[in-house]
Amino acid sequence: MTQSTAPVRPKRAAKPQGQWKIDGQQPLNHNEELKAADDGLNVRERIEQIYALKGFDSIDPDDLHGRFRWWGLYTQRAQGIPGGKTATLEPHELEDKYFMLRVRIDGGALSTEQLRVIAGISTEFARDTADFTDRQNIQLHWVDVVDVPEIWRRLEAVGLNTTEACGDVPRVILGSPVAGIAKNEIIDPTPVIQEIARRYVGNPEFSNLPRKYKTAITGHPNQDVVHEINDFALVGVVHPELGAGYDLWVGGGLSANPRLGERLGAFVSEENAAEVWEGVTSIFRDYGFRRLRNRARLKFLLADWGTEKFRRVLQDEYLGYELPDGPPAAKPEESGDHSGVHEQKDGRFYVGLTPPVGRVSGRILGRLADLVEAAGSTRLRTTPHQKVIALDIPAEQIDTFTTAVQELGLDPFPGLIKRSAIACTGIEFCKLAIVDTKDTTIDAVKKIESRLADHEGKLPKALSLHVNGCPNSCARIQTADIGLKGQLITNAEGEQVSGFQVHLGGTLAGFENGEAGLGRTVRGLKVAADELPEYVERVVKSYSTHAEDNESFAAWAHRADEEKLV
């Protein structure tokens, strides 16, 4: 009997992913076409010479919705559009003729002179708006394109800029907010942050990356820059033979497909750090997936390659030398948010201040600059926790200073919930948002702390509450003890109302948990915005009743039965 054989079809070639070193540089989507047609950095000249003179309606759509981001500008949401319209309207139907402007602050380092300039820009050009972000920037709203050249002139006169504050570029470099002053610092990251910014920010070699690219560098033992959710991160360690340096992490990121970064097991010296940053960033530029934007972050390439291949390509193709193996960082012993009053290594003090979910104003910023100077200092730092730190305060000025800043609404001694609360921009200004975040969180925090006032002895040592207005994760909901993702929900009366899907038990490296982990979702667990205080009170009291001795909230939330979490 003759066996029939069907023709063997050739294996279909995998679709090109837009990896420049493999597939070539032919653009595979409109975003890539836009970047190939004209570098985003070039739009500054058009802003200054055309758009600022002729106004909003003269702006080319590809510049407006693409290249403006390379200079820190996003159109903001038009007022009065409800969350239910977010997914049904086109971007141009959602946007106003005003901009959010993001001031880039690498390492969070600010002088009182710089802060006063930002304050003046806020009051004169941005309707007195200002927010500290969870990436150490300051964001302003209501900015008119006609005012942008003058804003740039003022910022750049004091050493600030908005260069690559948004876009498919190297974003602001997170740095330890207490770099160079902390008593227990392993290594001061300031020289590395400054060198990377000097060499690469605004450099056309890296102004066309597959997507945004986030960097974090710390030499503090409390690991205070959320390094696990950045594309490139350096964490201070002491090598047994080579001394103080950095442990290298790559490939972290959240959004709708969260993935924590991973150690490459490599030790990086201060002298080599900028070069290693260039190597990792070049890998992203050359091998990153560009075909689909939802798979274009470095985390997807790392997932495909693994850490061993990634390190080998870095060393063989980009560095030309082997990095020494290095030890992991030790477990943090304290919170890395730097709230409160702490002695510096020079005997002066730094004071960590908590504005409510980062919300301030130009008036408050100007007054803060005055108070810092009155206390004998000229230095501040922003933090990755929507806070600001006053540095170099003499001991004899602490009481006067802390009393004065409290009157401004900047709390040096916040309660458990206020201290940890982070909220994204939300529907007030963001075109992606579905619900309000800032005001909702500020109101909820007050009510939650009041409800838990008689429960103080049974509360966890730390409890993070992060509130996001859409399915993205600008407020890092997957790494919070209680993370809330904004959406419209149906209440008991059958009405559509603002609410949140609940994530529980997320954490970054901390003194309670040691290792980072993503939160869990409980099927169907959604909370209406106006019921948020009651829910948080309920779940915290459930934790204090059922947790084991010294068990963190995150650990309990992952093992608890669902009925204890609702």
Side-chain angles (χ1 to χ4, degrees):
M1 183 175 177
T2 305
Q3 184 176 7
S4 74
T5 57
V8 178
R9 295 184 178 178
K11 186 177 180 180
R12 179 179 295 175
K15 279 188 177 180
Q17 295 300 313
Q19 296 171 279
W20 280 3
K21 271 205 170 184
I22 296 172
D23 304 315
Q25 296 188 19
Q26 180 67 29
L28 299 180
N29 58 51
H30 181 65
N31 283 286
E32 291 300 310
E33 290 170 351
L34 181 153
K35 292 185 288 182
D38 187 32
D39 192 309
L41 293 172
N42 295 336
V43 79
R44 175 162 178 160
E45 183 177 359
R46 293 192 288 280
I47 292 172
E48 292 177 323
Q49 297 185 9
I50 301 173
Y51 305 142
L53 302 177
K54 296 186 176 181
F56 185 91
D57 292 336
S58 70
I59 303 171
D60 177 88
D62 278 349
D63 285 347
L64 181 65
H65 300 121
R67 301 183 189 97
F68 265 48
R69 299 175 185 181
W70 271 242
W71 289 96
L73 291 158
Y74 281 98
T75 50
Q76 67 186 39
R77 187 187 189 96
Q79 300 298 289
I81 299 177
K85 296 288 188 180
T86 298
T88 61
L89 296 180
E90 295 295 321
H92 70 274
E93 296 176 297
L94 287 165
E95 70 191 4
D96 210 335
K97 293 186 177 184
Y98 294 94
F99 293 89
M100 179 277 287
L101 179 69
R102 183 176 292 157
V103 181
R104 180 181 185 126
I105 308 172
D106 290 300
L110 278 175
S111 68
T112 49
E113 179 188 25
Q114 291 171 326
L115 187 63
R116 196 172 280 112
V117 166
I118 296 172
I121 292 169
S122 168
T123 55
E124 189 170 344
F125 300 116
R127 303 189 188 181
D128 203 29
T129 59
D131 288 321
F132 290 109
T133 78
D134 60 6
R135 290 200 62 80
Q136 293 183 285
N137 298 307
I138 294 177
Q139 290 184 175
L140 310 175
H141 292 280
W142 297 109
V143 172
D144 191 322
V145 71
V146 303
D147 298 318
V148 169
E150 174 62 15
I151 291 171
W152 282 338
R153 187 194 67 77
R154 295 189 191 187
L155 289 173
E156 290 166 3
V158 293
L160 293 171
N161 62 73
T162 68
T163 311
E164 297 183 331
C166 314
D168 295 352
V169 292
R171 301 287 186 89
V172 67
I173 303 165
L174 295 188
S176 172
V178 292
I181 64 165
K183 295 173 74 171
N184 55 344
E185 185 175 53
I186 298 166
I187 184 171
D188 181 358
T190 304
V192 174
I193 293 170
Q194 292 176 340
E195 183 69 3
I196 292 172
R198 183 187 68 80
R199 287 195 202 179
Y200 307 116
V201 175
N203 183 337
E205 287 292 309
F206 299 103
S207 60
N208 181 358
L209 300 178
R211 281 291 302 275
K212 59 188 173 185
Y213 183 75
K214 297 182 176 181
T215 299
I217 305 173
T218 184
H220 197 280
N222 292 343
Q223 301 172 23
D224 50 3
V225 293
V226 295
H227 64 277
E228 304 98 329
I229 55 173
N230 282 263
D231 298 279
F232 174 97
L234 297 174
V235 180
V237 293
V238 178
H239 192 283
E241 285 88 38
L242 302 173
Y246 298 97
D247 186 31
L248 174 59
W249 289 65
V250 300
L254 294 178
S255 193
N257 294 288
R259 191 177 198 278
L260 296 176
E262 296 187 60
R263 298 182 60 240
L264 293 192
F267 178 80
V268 177
S269 67
E270 180 180 300
E271 294 73 23
N272 292 341
E275 189 174 49
V276 172
W277 184 95
E278 179 180 345
V280 173
T281 311
S282 298
I283 288 176
F284 182 45
R285 177 194 63 203
D286 297 342
Y287 287 105
F289 303 144
R290 293 174 181 258
R291 183 173 69 88
L292 299 175
R293 291 217 21 112
N294 62 0
R295 280 182 48 80
R297 289 292 298 277
L298 184 62
K299 60 188 176 183
F300 293 101
L301 181 65
L302 180 68
D304 186 58
W305 280 9
T307 55
E308 184 179 340
K309 178 178 178 179
F310 197 103
R311 180 173 172 178
R312 186 171 68 250
V313 171
L314 172 63
Q315 294 173 159
D316 295 351
E317 293 188 29
Y318 292 90
L319 296 179
Y321 58 84
E322 299 246 337
L323 293 167
D325 292 340
K331 175 183 175 181
E333 296 181 357
E334 296 177 329
S335 170
D337 72 357
H338 302 297
S339 293
V341 178
H342 304 265
E343 188 174 7
Q344 300 176 180
K345 63 184 179 182
D346 64 1
R348 292 179 291 180
F349 291 80
Y350 67 85
V351 184
L353 307 174
T354 299
V357 293
R359 172 71 26 114
V360 283
S361 66
R363 182 193 64 81
I364 289 173
L365 296 181
R367 182 66 181 138
L368 175 61
D370 294 340
L371 292 175
V372 171
E373 289 180 355
S377 176
T378 60
R379 294 201 299 163
L380 306 101
R381 300 267 173 80
T382 57
T383 86
H385 302 278
Q386 296 183 340
K387 302 180 190 301
V388 61
I389 300 175
L391 275 54
D392 307 331
I393 307 296
E396 63 272 17
Q397 292 290 334
I398 292 295
D399 289 345
T400 300
F401 179 74
T402 54
T403 299
V405 291
Q406 278 182 306
E407 292 173 358
L408 272 184
L410 304 175
D411 197 341
F413 310 111
L416 175 68
I417 308 298
K418 183 178 181 181
R419 174 175 180 167
S420 73
I422 289 176
C424 73
T425 299
I427 201 170
E428 182 181 11
F429 296 118
C430 179
K431 292 177 293 184
L432 300 178
I434 302 166
V435 302
D436 174 81
T437 54
K438 293 286 190 185
D439 290 338
T440 295
T441 308
I442 290 169
D443 180 65
V445 165
K446 292 176 183 176
K447 292 177 179 176
I448 294 165
E449 292 195 334
S450 174
R451 285 171 171 271
L452 293 175
D454 61 349
H455 204 68
E456 190 140 342
K458 303 174 184 178
L459 295 176
K461 297 177 186 175
L463 186 72
S464 52
L465 175 70
H466 294 185
V467 183
N468 216 72
C470 77
N472 295 314
S473 195
C474 296
R476 311 196 295 254
I477 54 172
Q478 300 99 330
T479 60
D481 288 303
I482 303 173
L484 302 167
K485 180 172 73 178
Q487 57 185 222
L488 296 179
I489 68 172
T490 303
N491 65 13
E493 289 73 41
E495 304 166 320
Q496 266 208 333
V497 297
S498 295
F500 302 94
Q501 182 185 45
V502 180
H503 297 248
L504 293 170
T507 182
L508 297 178
F511 66 101
E512 283 199 312
N513 301 292
E515 294 184 2
L518 300 174
R520 72 183 277 197
T521 56
V522 177
R523 189 180 310 228
L525 178 50
K526 298 175 183 179
V527 178
D530 60 2
E531 296 174 355
L532 181 55
E534 291 83 353
Y535 172 72
V536 174
E537 176 191 19
R538 191 163 65 244
V539 76
V540 169
K541 289 184 175 180
S542 180
Y543 157 79
S544 65
T545 300
H546 300 290
E548 298 174 358
D549 290 344
N550 298 316
E551 185 176 27
S552 70
F553 183 91
W556 170 78
H558 274 283
R559 72 162 182 83
D561 295 335
E562 290 188 0
E563 62 266 20
K564 293 184 173 65
L565 303 176
V566 299

